[in-house]
PDB file of all heavy atoms in Angstrom:
ATOM      1  N   ASP A  13      10.655  80.267  49.957  1.00 98.00           N
ATOM      2  CA  ASP A  13      11.599  79.173  49.709  1.00 98.00           C
ATOM      3  C   ASP A  13      11.797  78.986  48.210  1.00 98.00           C
ATOM      4  O   ASP A  13      12.922  78.800  47.743  1.00 98.00           O
ATOM      5  CB  ASP A  13      11.083  77.871  50.324  1.00 98.00           C
ATOM      6  CG  ASP A  13      11.080  77.896  51.842  1.00 98.00           C
ATOM      7  OD1 ASP A  13      12.008  78.504  52.425  1.00 98.00           O
ATOM      8  OD2 ASP A  13      10.153  77.332  52.449  1.00 98.00           O
ATOM      9  N   VAL A  14      10.698  79.042  47.470  1.00 98.00           N
ATOM     10  CA  VAL A  14      10.749  78.781  46.028  1.00 98.00           C
ATOM     11  C   VAL A  14       9.819  79.752  45.296  1.00 98.00           C
ATOM     12  O   VAL A  14       8.667  79.932  45.710  1.00 98.00           O
ATOM     13  CB  VAL A  14      10.314  77.332  45.701  1.00 98.00           C
ATOM     14  CG1 VAL A  14      10.307  77.093  44.190  1.00 98.00           C
ATOM     15  CG2 VAL A  14      11.221  76.325  46.390  1.00 98.00           C
ATOM     16  N   LEU A  15      10.310  80.339  44.221  1.00 98.00           N
ATOM     17  CA  LEU A  15       9.475  81.074  43.279  1.00 98.00           C
ATOM     18  C   LEU A  15       9.344  80.226  42.020  1.00 98.00           C
ATOM     19  O   LEU A  15      10.344  79.843  41.412  1.00 98.00           O
ATOM     20  CB  LEU A  15      10.097  82.430  42.910  1.00 98.00           C
ATOM     21  CG  LEU A  15       9.422  83.170  41.739  1.00 98.00           C
ATOM     22  CD1 LEU A  15       7.969  83.503  42.062  1.00 98.00           C
ATOM     23  CD2 LEU A  15      10.201  84.426  41.358  1.00 98.00           C
ATOM     24  N   ILE A  16       8.105  79.922  41.649  1.00 98.00           N
ATOM     25  CA  ILE A  16       7.819  79.169  40.427  1.00 98.00           C
ATOM     26  C   ILE A  16       7.336  80.156  39.377  1.00 98.00           C
ATOM     27  O   ILE A  16       6.394  80.920  39.623  1.00 98.00           O
ATOM     28  CB  ILE A  16       6.750  78.085  40.669  1.00 98.00           C
ATOM     29  CG1 ILE A  16       7.234  77.093  41.733  1.00 98.00           C
ATOM     30  CG2 ILE A  16       6.413  77.363  39.371  1.00 98.00           C
ATOM     31  CD1 ILE A  16       6.158  76.115  42.195  1.00 98.00           C
ATOM     32  N   VAL A  17       7.981  80.137  38.227  1.00 98.00           N
ATOM     33  CA  VAL A  17       7.568  80.992  37.117  1.00 98.00           C
ATOM     34  C   VAL A  17       6.877  80.100  36.092  1.00 98.00           C
ATOM     35  O   VAL A  17       7.503  79.215  35.512  1.00 98.00           O
ATOM     36  CB  VAL A  17       8.770  81.719  36.485  1.00 98.00           C
ATOM     37  CG1 VAL A  17       8.296  82.684  35.399  1.00 98.00           C
ATOM     38  CG2 VAL A  17       9.569  82.464  37.546  1.00 98.00           C
ATOM     39  N   GLY A  18       5.585  80.314  35.901  1.00 98.00           N
ATOM     40  CA  GLY A  18       4.813  79.503  34.962  1.00 98.00           C
ATOM     41  C   GLY A  18       3.727  78.723  35.663  1.00 98.00           C
ATOM     42  O   GLY A  18       3.993  77.989  36.623  1.00 98.00           O
ATOM     43  N   GLY A  19       2.489  78.885  35.183  1.00 98.00           N
ATOM     44  CA  GLY A  19       1.343  78.225  35.798  1.00 98.00           C
ATOM     45  C   GLY A  19       0.655  77.236  34.887  1.00 98.00           C
ATOM     46  O   GLY A  19      -0.567  77.047  34.972  1.00 98.00           O
ATOM     47  N   GLY A  20       1.420  76.588  33.990  1.00 97.00           N
ATOM     48  CA  GLY A  20       0.887  75.464  33.228  1.00 97.00           C
ATOM     49  C   GLY A  20       0.966  74.202  34.077  1.00 97.00           C
ATOM     50  O   GLY A  20       1.157  74.260  35.289  1.00 97.00           O
ATOM     51  N   ILE A  21       0.861  73.040  33.452  1.00 97.00           N
ATOM     52  CA  ILE A  21       0.805  71.796  34.231  1.00 97.00           C
ATOM     53  C   ILE A  21       2.074  71.578  35.050  1.00 97.00           C
ATOM     54  O   ILE A  21       2.007  71.176  36.210  1.00 97.00           O
ATOM     55  CB  ILE A  21       0.513  70.566  33.326  1.00 97.00           C
ATOM     56  CG1 ILE A  21       0.302  69.308  34.164  1.00 97.00           C
ATOM     57  CG2 ILE A  21       1.581  70.383  32.263  1.00 97.00           C
ATOM     58  CD1 ILE A  21      -0.822  69.378  35.157  1.00 97.00           C
ATOM     59  N   ASN A  22       3.265  71.873  34.488  1.00 98.00           N
ATOM     60  CA  ASN A  22       4.501  71.646  35.246  1.00 98.00           C
ATOM     61  C   ASN A  22       4.601  72.561  36.458  1.00 98.00           C
ATOM     62  O   ASN A  22       4.985  72.127  37.550  1.00 98.00           O
ATOM     63  CB  ASN A  22       5.720  71.836  34.338  1.00 98.00           C
ATOM     64  CG  ASN A  22       5.877  70.731  33.313  1.00 98.00           C
ATOM     65  OD1 ASN A  22       5.375  69.624  33.502  1.00 98.00           O
ATOM     66  ND2 ASN A  22       6.549  71.024  32.215  1.00 98.00           N
ATOM     67  N   GLY A  23       4.266  73.834  36.291  1.00 98.00           N
ATOM     68  CA  GLY A  23       4.303  74.756  37.422  1.00 98.00           C
ATOM     69  C   GLY A  23       3.227  74.455  38.435  1.00 98.00           C
ATOM     70  O   GLY A  23       3.450  74.557  39.651  1.00 98.00           O
ATOM     71  N   ALA A  24       2.044  74.067  37.960  1.00 98.00           N
ATOM     72  CA  ALA A  24       0.919  73.800  38.862  1.00 98.00           C
ATOM     73  C   ALA A  24       1.208  72.623  39.787  1.00 98.00           C
ATOM     74  O   ALA A  24       0.965  72.694  41.001  1.00 98.00           O
ATOM     75  CB  ALA A  24      -0.340  73.549  38.045  1.00 98.00           C
ATOM     76  N   VAL A  25       1.731  71.514  39.236  1.00 98.00           N
ATOM     77  CA  VAL A  25       2.008  70.359  40.099  1.00 98.00           C
ATOM     78  C   VAL A  25       3.207  70.628  41.004  1.00 98.00           C
ATOM     79  O   VAL A  25       3.258  70.134  42.133  1.00 98.00           O
ATOM     80  CB  VAL A  25       2.216  69.062  39.283  1.00 98.00           C
ATOM     81  CG1 VAL A  25       0.935  68.661  38.581  1.00 98.00           C
ATOM     82  CG2 VAL A  25       3.361  69.191  38.290  1.00 98.00           C
ATOM     83  N   SER A  26       4.164  71.431  40.523  1.00 98.00           N
ATOM     84  CA  SER A  26       5.297  71.790  41.384  1.00 98.00           C
ATOM     85  C   SER A  26       4.804  72.571  42.593  1.00 98.00           C
ATOM     86  O   SER A  26       5.208  72.308  43.730  1.00 98.00           O
ATOM     87  CB  SER A  26       6.313  72.624  40.594  1.00 98.00           C
ATOM     88  OG  SER A  26       6.841  71.909  39.503  1.00 98.00           O
ATOM     89  N   ALA A  27       3.921  73.534  42.361  1.00 98.00           N
ATOM     90  CA  ALA A  27       3.383  74.344  43.452  1.00 98.00           C
ATOM     91  C   ALA A  27       2.561  73.498  44.407  1.00 98.00           C
ATOM     92  O   ALA A  27       2.676  73.632  45.646  1.00 98.00           O
ATOM     93  CB  ALA A  27       2.532  75.486  42.883  1.00 98.00           C
ATOM     94  N   ALA A  28       1.710  72.620  43.866  1.00 98.00           N
ATOM     95  CA  ALA A  28       0.852  71.796  44.709  1.00 98.00           C
ATOM     96  C   ALA A  28       1.685  70.858  45.591  1.00 98.00           C
ATOM     97  O   ALA A  28       1.415  70.698  46.786  1.00 98.00           O
ATOM     98  CB  ALA A  28      -0.117  70.996  43.847  1.00 98.00           C
ATOM     99  N   ALA A  29       2.704  70.234  44.990  1.00 98.00           N
ATOM    100  CA  ALA A  29       3.539  69.288  45.740  1.00 98.00           C
ATOM    101  C   ALA A  29       4.325  70.002  46.836  1.00 98.00           C
ATOM    102  O   ALA A  29       4.354  69.560  47.995  1.00 98.00           O
ATOM    103  CB  ALA A  29       4.490  68.564  44.792  1.00 98.00           C
ATOM    104  N   LEU A  30       4.958  71.122  46.483  1.00 98.00           N
ATOM    105  CA  LEU A  30       5.814  71.817  47.447  1.00 98.00           C
ATOM    106  C   LEU A  30       4.999  72.456  48.568  1.00 98.00           C
ATOM    107  O   LEU A  30       5.363  72.352  49.750  1.00 98.00           O
ATOM    108  CB  LEU A  30       6.648  72.881  46.726  1.00 98.00           C
ATOM    109  CG  LEU A  30       7.703  72.349  45.747  1.00 98.00           C
ATOM    110  CD1 LEU A  30       8.312  73.489  44.952  1.00 98.00           C
ATOM    111  CD2 LEU A  30       8.794  71.572  46.496  1.00 98.00           C
ATOM    112  N   ALA A  31       3.905  73.125  48.221  1.00 98.00           N
ATOM    113  CA  ALA A  31       3.103  73.792  49.245  1.00 98.00           C
ATOM    114  C   ALA A  31       2.522  72.781  50.230  1.00 98.00           C
ATOM    115  O   ALA A  31       2.499  73.020  51.441  1.00 98.00           O
ATOM    116  CB  ALA A  31       1.987  74.609  48.590  1.00 98.00           C
ATOM    117  N   ALA A  32       2.056  71.645  49.717  1.00 98.00           N
ATOM    118  CA  ALA A  32       1.493  70.621  50.599  1.00 98.00           C
ATOM    119  C   ALA A  32       2.534  70.055  51.554  1.00 98.00           C
ATOM    120  O   ALA A  32       2.206  69.612  52.660  1.00 98.00           O
ATOM    121  CB  ALA A  32       0.883  69.499  49.772  1.00 98.00           C
ATOM    122  N   LYS A  33       3.790  70.068  51.151  1.00 98.00           N
ATOM    123  CA  LYS A  33       4.864  69.538  51.987  1.00 98.00           C
ATOM    124  C   LYS A  33       5.462  70.600  52.908  1.00 98.00           C
ATOM    125  O   LYS A  33       6.476  70.357  53.566  1.00 98.00           O
ATOM    126  CB  LYS A  33       5.945  68.921  51.089  1.00 98.00           C
ATOM    127  CG  LYS A  33       5.446  67.694  50.309  1.00 98.00           C
ATOM    128  CD  LYS A  33       6.485  67.166  49.337  1.00 98.00           C
ATOM    129  CE  LYS A  33       5.945  66.035  48.481  1.00 98.00           C
ATOM    130  NZ  LYS A  33       5.589  64.834  49.249  1.00 98.00           N
ATOM    131  N   GLY A  34       4.842  71.786  52.943  1.00 98.00           N
ATOM    132  CA  GLY A  34       5.251  72.811  53.902  1.00 98.00           C
ATOM    133  C   GLY A  34       6.252  73.822  53.399  1.00 98.00           C
ATOM    134  O   GLY A  34       6.778  74.616  54.181  1.00 98.00           O
ATOM    135  N   VAL A  35       6.542  73.831  52.101  1.00 98.00           N
ATOM    136  CA  VAL A  35       7.485  74.790  51.526  1.00 98.00           C
ATOM    137  C   VAL A  35       6.754  76.108  51.269  1.00 98.00           C
ATOM    138  O   VAL A  35       5.594  76.126  50.837  1.00 98.00           O
ATOM    139  CB  VAL A  35       8.073  74.236  50.204  1.00 98.00           C
ATOM    140  CG1 VAL A  35       9.027  75.234  49.563  1.00 98.00           C
ATOM    141  CG2 VAL A  35       8.790  72.903  50.472  1.00 98.00           C
ATOM    142  N   LYS A  36       7.412  77.226  51.542  1.00 98.00           N
ATOM    143  CA  LYS A  36       6.834  78.552  51.258  1.00 98.00           C
ATOM    144  C   LYS A  36       7.018  78.850  49.766  1.00 98.00           C
ATOM    145  O   LYS A  36       8.139  79.053  49.306  1.00 98.00           O
ATOM    146  CB  LYS A  36       7.509  79.625  52.109  1.00 98.00           C
ATOM    147  CG  LYS A  36       7.168  79.560  53.588  1.00 98.00           C
ATOM    148  CD  LYS A  36       7.998  80.542  54.397  1.00 98.00           C
ATOM    149  CE  LYS A  36       7.770  81.973  53.950  1.00 98.00           C
ATOM    150  NZ  LYS A  36       8.558  82.936  54.770  1.00 98.00           N
ATOM    151  N   VAL A  37       5.907  78.867  49.042  1.00 98.00           N
ATOM    152  CA  VAL A  37       5.944  78.917  47.575  1.00 98.00           C
ATOM    153  C   VAL A  37       5.226  80.157  47.058  1.00 98.00           C
ATOM    154  O   VAL A  37       4.161  80.530  47.563  1.00 98.00           O
ATOM    155  CB  VAL A  37       5.279  77.659  46.967  1.00 98.00           C
ATOM    156  CG1 VAL A  37       5.331  77.703  45.440  1.00 98.00           C
ATOM    157  CG2 VAL A  37       5.935  76.390  47.483  1.00 98.00           C
ATOM    158  N   ALA A  38       5.802  80.773  46.038  1.00 98.00           N
ATOM    159  CA  ALA A  38       5.115  81.789  45.241  1.00 98.00           C
ATOM    160  C   ALA A  38       5.088  81.303  43.802  1.00 98.00           C
ATOM    161  O   ALA A  38       6.011  80.622  43.345  1.00 98.00           O
ATOM    162  CB  ALA A  38       5.826  83.134  45.332  1.00 98.00           C
ATOM    163  N   LEU A  39       4.019  81.637  43.087  1.00 98.00           N
ATOM    164  CA  LEU A  39       3.906  81.259  41.671  1.00 98.00           C
ATOM    165  C   LEU A  39       3.332  82.433  40.892  1.00 98.00           C
ATOM    166  O   LEU A  39       2.349  83.042  41.318  1.00 98.00           O
ATOM    167  CB  LEU A  39       3.015  80.027  41.505  1.00 98.00           C
ATOM    168  CG  LEU A  39       2.830  79.510  40.057  1.00 98.00           C
ATOM    169  CD1 LEU A  39       2.693  77.989  40.048  1.00 98.00           C
ATOM    170  CD2 LEU A  39       1.622  80.134  39.368  1.00 98.00           C
ATOM    171  N   ILE A  40       3.964  82.748  39.755  1.00 98.00           N
ATOM    172  CA  ILE A  40       3.455  83.789  38.880  1.00 98.00           C
ATOM    173  C   ILE A  40       3.371  83.261  37.452  1.00 98.00           C
ATOM    174  O   ILE A  40       4.110  82.344  37.069  1.00 98.00           O
ATOM    175  CB  ILE A  40       4.336  85.065  38.907  1.00 98.00           C
ATOM    176  CG1 ILE A  40       5.783  84.747  38.491  1.00 98.00           C
ATOM    177  CG2 ILE A  40       4.291  85.721  40.282  1.00 98.00           C
ATOM    178  CD1 ILE A  40       6.685  85.975  38.371  1.00 98.00           C
ATOM    179  N   ASP A  41       2.466  83.819  36.674  1.00 98.00           N
ATOM    180  CA  ASP A  41       2.357  83.503  35.254  1.00 98.00           C
ATOM    181  C   ASP A  41       2.039  84.784  34.516  1.00 98.00           C
ATOM    182  O   ASP A  41       1.209  85.572  34.953  1.00 98.00           O
ATOM    183  CB  ASP A  41       1.264  82.461  35.013  1.00 98.00           C
ATOM    184  CG  ASP A  41       1.320  81.886  33.605  1.00 98.00           C
ATOM    185  OD1 ASP A  41       1.066  82.642  32.638  1.00 98.00           O
ATOM    186  OD2 ASP A  41       1.616  80.685  33.454  1.00 98.00           O
ATOM    187  N   LYS A  42       2.693  84.989  33.385  1.00 98.00           N
ATOM    188  CA  LYS A  42       2.508  86.243  32.655  1.00 98.00           C
ATOM    189  C   LYS A  42       1.115  86.360  32.031  1.00 98.00           C
ATOM    190  O   LYS A  42       0.673  87.448  31.668  1.00 98.00           O
ATOM    191  CB  LYS A  42       3.565  86.393  31.568  1.00 98.00           C
ATOM    192  CG  LYS A  42       3.426  85.427  30.408  1.00 98.00           C
ATOM    193  CD  LYS A  42       4.482  85.709  29.346  1.00 98.00           C
ATOM    194  CE  LYS A  42       4.346  84.776  28.153  1.00 98.00           C
ATOM    195  NZ  LYS A  42       5.347  85.062  27.109  1.00 98.00           N
ATOM    196  N   GLY A  43       0.424  85.243  31.893  1.00 98.00           N
ATOM    197  CA  GLY A  43      -0.965  85.234  31.427  1.00 98.00           C
ATOM    198  C   GLY A  43      -1.830  84.570  32.479  1.00 98.00           C
ATOM    199  O   GLY A  43      -1.570  84.651  33.673  1.00 98.00           O
ATOM    200  N   ASP A  44      -2.860  83.870  32.025  1.00 98.00           N
ATOM    201  CA  ASP A  44      -3.696  83.136  32.971  1.00 98.00           C
ATOM    202  C   ASP A  44      -3.083  81.765  33.230  1.00 98.00           C
ATOM    203  O   ASP A  44      -2.267  81.267  32.450  1.00 98.00           O
ATOM    204  CB  ASP A  44      -5.107  82.983  32.402  1.00 98.00           C
ATOM    205  CG  ASP A  44      -6.083  82.402  33.420  1.00 98.00           C
ATOM    206  OD1 ASP A  44      -5.857  82.583  34.635  1.00 98.00           O
ATOM    207  OD2 ASP A  44      -7.073  81.767  33.000  1.00 98.00           O
ATOM    208  N   PHE A  45      -3.471  81.157  34.338  1.00 98.00           N
ATOM    209  CA  PHE A  45      -3.040  79.788  34.629  1.00 98.00           C
ATOM    210  C   PHE A  45      -3.520  78.866  33.497  1.00 98.00           C
ATOM    211  O   PHE A  45      -4.650  78.991  33.019  1.00 98.00           O
ATOM    212  CB  PHE A  45      -3.628  79.317  35.958  1.00 98.00           C
ATOM    213  CG  PHE A  45      -3.353  80.244  37.107  1.00 98.00           C
ATOM    214  CD1 PHE A  45      -4.400  80.798  37.831  1.00 98.00           C
ATOM    215  CD2 PHE A  45      -2.052  80.581  37.474  1.00 98.00           C
ATOM    216  CE1 PHE A  45      -4.160  81.661  38.896  1.00 98.00           C
ATOM    217  CE2 PHE A  45      -1.804  81.440  38.522  1.00 98.00           C
ATOM    218  CZ  PHE A  45      -2.868  81.990  39.240  1.00 98.00           C
ATOM    219  N   ALA A  46      -2.654  77.967  33.075  1.00 97.00           N
ATOM    220  CA  ALA A  46      -2.955  77.041  31.970  1.00 97.00           C
ATOM    221  C   ALA A  46      -3.360  77.806  30.720  1.00 97.00           C
ATOM    222  O   ALA A  46      -4.179  77.332  29.933  1.00 97.00           O
ATOM    223  CB  ALA A  46      -4.054  76.047  32.363  1.00 97.00           C
ATOM    224  N   GLY A  47      -2.776  78.982  30.517  1.00 96.00           N
ATOM    225  CA  GLY A  47      -3.207  79.847  29.441  1.00 96.00           C
ATOM    226  C   GLY A  47      -2.574  79.586  28.099  1.00 96.00           C
ATOM    227  O   GLY A  47      -2.914  80.250  27.122  1.00 96.00           O
ATOM    228  N   PHE A  48      -1.674  78.586  28.021  1.00 96.00           N
ATOM    229  CA  PHE A  48      -0.983  78.380  26.748  1.00 96.00           C
ATOM    230  C   PHE A  48      -1.078  76.903  26.350  1.00 96.00           C
ATOM    231  O   PHE A  48      -2.159  76.412  26.081  1.00 96.00           O
ATOM    232  CB  PHE A  48       0.467  78.878  26.871  1.00 96.00           C
ATOM    233  CG  PHE A  48       1.018  79.455  25.606  1.00 96.00           C
ATOM    234  CD1 PHE A  48       0.637  80.712  25.180  1.00 96.00           C
ATOM    235  CD2 PHE A  48       1.915  78.745  24.825  1.00 96.00           C
ATOM    236  CE1 PHE A  48       1.130  81.257  24.001  1.00 96.00           C
ATOM    237  CE2 PHE A  48       2.419  79.264  23.651  1.00 96.00           C
ATOM    238  CZ  PHE A  48       2.029  80.528  23.235  1.00 96.00           C
ATOM    239  N   THR A  49       0.017  76.178  26.368  1.00 95.00           N
ATOM    240  CA  THR A  49      -0.003  74.775  25.933  1.00 95.00           C
ATOM    241  C   THR A  49      -0.990  73.938  26.749  1.00 95.00           C
ATOM    242  O   THR A  49      -1.683  73.074  26.205  1.00 95.00           O
ATOM    243  CB  THR A  49       1.409  74.170  26.036  1.00 95.00           C
ATOM    244  OG1 THR A  49       2.270  74.835  25.098  1.00 95.00           O
ATOM    245  CG2 THR A  49       1.405  72.683  25.733  1.00 95.00           C
ATOM    246  N   SER A  50      -1.077  74.186  28.053  1.00 95.00           N
ATOM    247  CA  SER A  50      -1.886  73.337  28.934  1.00 95.00           C
ATOM    248  C   SER A  50      -3.387  73.495  28.730  1.00 95.00           C
ATOM    249  O   SER A  50      -4.160  72.788  29.370  1.00 95.00           O
ATOM    250  CB  SER A  50      -1.534  73.618  30.400  1.00 95.00           C
ATOM    251  OG  SER A  50      -0.219  73.195  30.687  1.00 95.00           O
ATOM    252  N   SER A  51      -3.807  74.414  27.865  1.00 95.00           N
ATOM    253  CA  SER A  51      -5.241  74.528  27.562  1.00 95.00           C
ATOM    254  C   SER A  51      -5.531  74.205  26.106  1.00 95.00           C
ATOM    255  O   SER A  51      -6.602  74.525  25.600  1.00 95.00           O
ATOM    256  CB  SER A  51      -5.750  75.938  27.895  1.00 95.00           C
ATOM    257  OG  SER A  51      -5.016  76.926  27.211  1.00 95.00           O
ATOM    258  N   ASN A  52      -4.594  73.546  25.436  1.00 94.00           N
ATOM    259  CA  ASN A  52      -4.779  73.241  24.018  1.00 94.00           C
ATOM    260  C   ASN A  52      -4.434  71.798  23.668  1.00 94.00           C
ATOM    261  O   ASN A  52      -4.027  71.501  22.546  1.00 94.00           O
ATOM    262  CB  ASN A  52      -3.936  74.205  23.163  1.00 94.00           C
ATOM    263  CG  ASN A  52      -4.499  75.607  23.156  1.00 94.00           C
ATOM    264  OD1 ASN A  52      -5.580  75.853  22.632  1.00 94.00           O
ATOM    265  ND2 ASN A  52      -3.775  76.538  23.766  1.00 94.00           N
ATOM    266  N   SER A  53      -4.605  70.894  24.624  1.00 92.00           N
ATOM    267  CA  SER A  53      -4.291  69.485  24.392  1.00 92.00           C
ATOM    268  C   SER A  53      -5.502  68.763  23.814  1.00 92.00           C
ATOM    269  O   SER A  53      -6.563  69.350  23.591  1.00 92.00           O
ATOM    270  CB  SER A  53      -3.877  68.824  25.703  1.00 92.00           C
ATOM    271  OG  SER A  53      -5.016  68.576  26.513  1.00 92.00           O
ATOM    272  N   SER A  54      -5.358  67.459  23.613  1.00 91.00           N
ATOM    273  CA  SER A  54      -6.470  66.623  23.154  1.00 91.00           C
ATOM    274  C   SER A  54      -7.362  66.178  24.302  1.00 91.00           C
ATOM    275  O   SER A  54      -8.305  65.410  24.090  1.00 91.00           O
ATOM    276  CB  SER A  54      -5.940  65.385  22.413  1.00 91.00           C
ATOM    277  OG  SER A  54      -5.213  65.736  21.267  1.00 91.00           O
ATOM    278  N   ASN A  55      -7.067  66.619  25.523  1.00 93.00           N
ATOM    279  CA  ASN A  55      -7.800  66.196  26.728  1.00 93.00           C
ATOM    280  C   ASN A  55      -7.652  64.694  26.978  1.00 93.00           C
ATOM    281  O   ASN A  55      -8.514  64.069  27.590  1.00 93.00           O
ATOM    282  CB  ASN A  55      -9.287  66.551  26.658  1.00 93.00           C
ATOM    283  CG  ASN A  55      -9.553  68.015  26.939  1.00 93.00           C
ATOM    284  OD1 ASN A  55      -8.676  68.734  27.418  1.00 93.00           O
ATOM    285  ND2 ASN A  55     -10.755  68.474  26.646  1.00 93.00           N
ATOM    286  N   LEU A  56      -6.554  64.131  26.506  1.00 92.00           N
ATOM    287  CA  LEU A  56      -6.292  62.712  26.712  1.00 92.00           C
ATOM    288  C   LEU A  56      -5.112  62.541  27.668  1.00 92.00           C
ATOM    289  O   LEU A  56      -4.159  63.305  27.630  1.00 92.00           O
ATOM    290  CB  LEU A  56      -5.973  62.024  25.384  1.00 92.00           C
ATOM    291  CG  LEU A  56      -7.051  62.115  24.302  1.00 92.00           C
ATOM    292  CD1 LEU A  56      -6.536  61.511  22.994  1.00 92.00           C
ATOM    293  CD2 LEU A  56      -8.328  61.427  24.741  1.00 92.00           C
ATOM    294  N   ALA A  57      -5.210  61.555  28.531  1.00 90.00           N
ATOM    295  CA  ALA A  57      -4.085  61.175  29.384  1.00 90.00           C
ATOM    296  C   ALA A  57      -3.805  59.714  29.066  1.00 90.00           C
ATOM    297  O   ALA A  57      -4.534  58.832  29.489  1.00 90.00           O
ATOM    298  CB  ALA A  57      -4.431  61.364  30.861  1.00 90.00           C
TER     299      ALA A  57
END
């Protein structure tokens, strides 16, 4: 149903939300999951 390109925070929550609601989802990332911006924050929310 949906191909998600990117496994940072935006792609991760998109995949989690859609898959839980019964959508057939694929997700790919050219590096590791959270391998770029999402692993270099201040760890603050």
Side-chain angles (χ1 to χ4, degrees):
D13 292 324
V14 177
L15 170 62
I16 300 171
V17 184
I21 186 59
N22 289 337
V25 294
S26 299
L30 293 172
K33 295 175 185 296
V35 178
K36 289 173 60 178
V37 181
L39 181 146
I40 58 175
D41 192 293
K42 69 177 181 179
D44 188 27
F45 307 122
F48 213 75
T49 294
S50 293
S51 56
N52 288 294
S53 76
S54 298
N55 283 347
L56 302 174

